[in-house]
């Protein structure tokens, strides 16, 4: 499907250094030593409701990954999916008496607008689950042929992945089996389903049900794809057998990314699937994770409708480190608005302090596991010094504006 429209990213003098990121699988920050094209897969929305600030924060985190890589001279191949067929979408459409396809189209269109407003660099491929169904079905057939998957014999046509076919299962999330069993049903899993070999076996293909949409699945029979295999297949087919970064919110650590990795590694015979499994913290409101099912959402589109500057929203979300679970408050947004104002005044000043030093410091902060709070601090110091009028470099304000535009995505 169509992606959104990008903005020009200013070119900065010199080059940034390699990016170090926290990898969930290895539980530590490691430098990304890859060369050439960098590959990024980010788990996108299930479009049954509008983009909330949690989605926005996660997209901004991976936007920084892309910006730091580009600044280091790497070209980036970036793929993001849209889960445009899944249970939550059908349930919401049913609840509201709406056509699920129209619901998905509308929310995806709104998401694109939100991403554009937030100046998120678009993915090279923005791919729906529905348009990927033939590819997904073919891979499920492959797993069946290989003995890594099995069909339930209850006449439903449902196909499951056998977790014992993935000897490393658990390496990505680092969870014990007891912890996995606890989380699995909370995140779409069905441990109680009769006939499965292991309670943790994830669904690969759901056989057609009379009241649900379905697609031809070749040897699988009609049905629709499971969730984890969707991301595996889209990433494998568009980015190759091994990707640099698999990204999403930390609600996807298990089972989603564990299972996607298990599927991919079984299909390719190569491990690990991703060099880095990178997870953004959850944005909450009033102490609770912002989620569609809890209904405690602040929508990006709502803020836009209220004429809030999207750059203030972006700055507010950059105020905390991407990995920390954090809370959205009106105060956070107000503070970001003031910061934006100060930065704009500094960018318009006749002179500032050492511009190249500012650029080097912002680069260093972001290369260190995307330390956006540190980058904001450095930019604040620059803005304060500029506004106090002690500075004498006439080129510095323009370099300041280009730096925060290119590296933080904040246009002044
Ligand atoms: N379609 C799947 C991924 S394949 C999905 O999780 N969709 S979603 O709409 O629920 O979330 C879209 C992205 O936003 C995912 O990366 C998810 O991890 C992230 N996300 C969801 N809720 C939050 C939140 N409250 N804070 C931060 N990120 C979130
Ligand atoms: Zn995904």
């Amino acid at each position: 499907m169509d992606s959104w429209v990008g903005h020009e990213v200013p070119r900065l003098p010199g080059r940034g250094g390699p990016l170090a990121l926290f990898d969930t699988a290895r539980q530590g920050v490691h430098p990304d030593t890859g060369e050439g094209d960098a590959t990024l897969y980010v788990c996108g929305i299930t479009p049954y409701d509008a983009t909330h600030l949690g989605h926005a924060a996660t997209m901004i985190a991976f936007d920084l990954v892309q910006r730091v890589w580009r600044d280091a001279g790497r070209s980036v191949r970036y793929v993001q999916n849209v889960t445009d067929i899944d249970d939550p979408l059908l349930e919401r459409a049913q609840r509201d008496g709406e056509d699920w396809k129209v619901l998905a189209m509308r929310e995806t269109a709104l998401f694109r607008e939100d991403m554009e407003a937030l100046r998120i660099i678009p993915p090279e491929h923005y791919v729906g689950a529905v348009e990927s169904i033939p590819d997904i079905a073919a891979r499920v057939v492959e797993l069946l042929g290989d003995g890594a998957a099995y069909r339930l014999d209850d006449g439903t046509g449902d196909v499951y992945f056998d977790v014992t076919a993935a000897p490393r299962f658990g390496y990505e999330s680092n969870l014990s089996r007891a912890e996995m069993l606890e989380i699995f049903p909370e995140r779409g899993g069905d441990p109680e389903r009769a006939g499965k070999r292991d309670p943790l076996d994830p669904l690969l293909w759901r056989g057609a049900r009379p009241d649900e949409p379905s697609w031809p699945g070749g040897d699988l029979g009609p049905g629709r794809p499971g969730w984890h295999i969707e991301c595996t297949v889209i990433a494998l087919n568009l980015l190759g057998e091994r990707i640099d970064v698999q990204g999403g919110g930390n609600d996807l650590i298990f089972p989603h990314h564990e299972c996607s990795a298990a599927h991919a590694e079984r299909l390719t015979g190569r491990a690990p699937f991703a060099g880095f499994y990178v997870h953004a913290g959850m944005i909450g409101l009033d102490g609770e994770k912002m989620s569609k099912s809890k209904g405690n959402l602040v929508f990006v589109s709502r803020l836009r409708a209220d004429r809030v500057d999207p750059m203030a929203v972006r700055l507010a979300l950059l105020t905390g480190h991407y990995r920390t679970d954090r809370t959205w408050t009106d105060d956070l947004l107000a503070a970001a608005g003031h910061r934006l104002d100060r930065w704009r005044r500094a960018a318009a000043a006749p002179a500032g302090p050492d511009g190249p030093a500012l650029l080097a410091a912002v680069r260093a902060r972001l290369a260190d596991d995307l330390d956006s709070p540190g980058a904001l601090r450095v930019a604040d110091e620059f803005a304060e010094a500029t506004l106090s009028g002690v500075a004498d470099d006439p080129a510095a304000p323009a370099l300041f504006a280009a730096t925060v535009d290119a590296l933080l995505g904040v246009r002044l």
Side-chain angles (χ1 to χ4, degrees):
M1 54 173 67
D2 290 335
S3 188
W4 55 93
V5 179
H7 303 268
E8 200 161 326
V9 178
R11 284 185 69 90
L12 297 171
R15 239 180 212 196
L19 173 61
L21 283 171
F22 185 92
D23 173 26
T24 299
R26 287 175 286 171
Q27 286 292 297
V29 176
H30 296 269
D32 174 18
T33 49
E35 282 173 12
D37 285 3
T39 48
L40 170 65
Y41 182 90
V42 174
C43 283
I45 55 164
T46 305
Y48 67 91
D49 212 337
T51 316
H52 60 62
L53 290 168
H55 304 135
T58 292
M59 297 308 154
I60 289 170
F62 293 99
D63 190 53
L64 295 186
V65 170
Q66 166 147 220
R67 286 169 187 274
V68 173
W69 270 341
R70 285 175 169 223
D71 182 53
R74 299 188 70 183
S75 44
V76 181
R77 290 166 53 215
Y78 174 22
V79 175
Q80 186 179 137
N81 72 309
V82 187
T83 307
D84 57 357
I85 181 66
D86 204 2
D87 297 345
L89 184 64
L90 297 177
E91 285 158 16
R92 176 61 63 93
Q94 168 98 34
R95 187 196 82 177
D96 297 347
E98 192 175 9
D99 182 326
W100 65 271
K101 273 190 199 162
V102 175
L103 172 62
M105 271 173 62
R106 188 179 66 240
E107 299 304 353
T108 305
L110 198 55
F111 176 76
R112 290 192 189 94
E113 276 181 28
D114 291 337
M115 293 299 102
E116 245 171 84
L118 292 169
R119 297 181 79 85
I120 308 284
I121 300 174
E124 186 184 3
H125 298 281
Y126 190 50
V127 189
V130 170
E131 61 189 336
S132 311
I133 287 175
D135 293 336
I136 299 170
R139 295 291 198 165
V140 175
V141 169
E142 226 175 295
L143 288 169
L144 269 172
D146 183 35
Y150 59 96
R151 198 186 311 258
L152 290 198
D153 59 9
D154 58 4
T156 56
D158 293 355
V159 177
Y160 281 84
F161 182 76
D162 184 338
V163 286
T164 62
R168 286 158 53 89
F169 197 78
Y171 85 88
E172 183 268 342
S173 60
N174 292 289
L175 295 175
S176 67
R177 186 171 164 88
E179 289 167 324
M180 291 185 200
L181 283 166
E182 195 183 318
I183 298 175
F184 192 61
E186 296 164 7
R187 308 236 171 104
D190 55 357
E192 312 273 335
R193 177 76 191 271
K196 292 208 305 184
R197 292 180 188 164
D198 187 298
L200 292 174
D201 288 349
L203 180 74
L204 290 169
W205 185 257
R206 179 172 164 88
R209 305 293 199 271
D211 51 349
E212 291 179 9
S214 61
W215 290 263
D219 292 350
L220 299 175
R224 58 182 168 97
W227 173 33
H228 319 302
I229 190 74
E230 165 195 341
C231 286
T232 304
V233 172
I234 295 173
L236 279 182
N237 286 4
L238 290 165
L239 293 173
E241 291 191 350
R242 188 186 178 284
I243 57 178
D244 288 310
V245 170
Q246 158 85 299
N250 65 19
D251 57 332
L252 302 184
I253 293 175
F254 187 84
H256 188 51
H257 287 170
E258 191 75 63
C259 292
S260 319
H263 299 337
E265 288 162 16
R266 181 69 193 204
L267 282 163
T268 65
R270 285 183 66 180
F273 172 47
F276 289 79
Y277 296 91
V278 179
H279 295 105
M282 290 292 111
I283 302 295
L285 184 71
D286 306 326
E288 287 231 61
K289 169 190 160 181
M290 221 177 258
S291 80
K292 296 170 210 174
S293 47
K294 291 207 180 82
N296 61 339
L297 306 177
V298 180
F299 296 120
V300 176
S301 44
R302 175 74 238 179
L303 294 173
R304 288 200 289 122
D306 290 343
R307 309 196 68 82
V308 173
D309 188 331
M311 293 299 94
V313 176
R314 186 161 174 131
L315 260 186
L317 291 170
L318 288 170
T319 309
H321 189 264
Y322 81 96
R323 275 199 289 124
T324 42
D325 292 340
R326 49 210 201 275
T327 303
W328 177 263
T329 61
D330 290 343
D331 288 350
L332 186 69
L333 181 61
H338 291 133
R339 174 176 265 137
L340 187 62
D341 187 53
R342 279 197 309 278
W343 287 14
R344 283 188 170 143
R345 281 189 287 125
D354 192 344
L358 163 88
L359 170 58
V362 172
R363 275 179 169 151
R365 284 301 83 237
L366 291 179
D368 179 10
D369 195 28
L370 308 175
D371 176 14
S372 64
L376 264 55
R377 216 162 33 239
V378 167
D380 279 344
E381 283 161 15
F382 176 93
E384 292 319 316
T386 301
L387 294 174
S388 70
V390 290
D392 57 5
D393 177 2
L399 184 55
F400 170 63
T403 299
V404 299
D405 187 345
L407 295 178
L408 294 171
V410 176
R411 181 150 178 89
L412 299 179

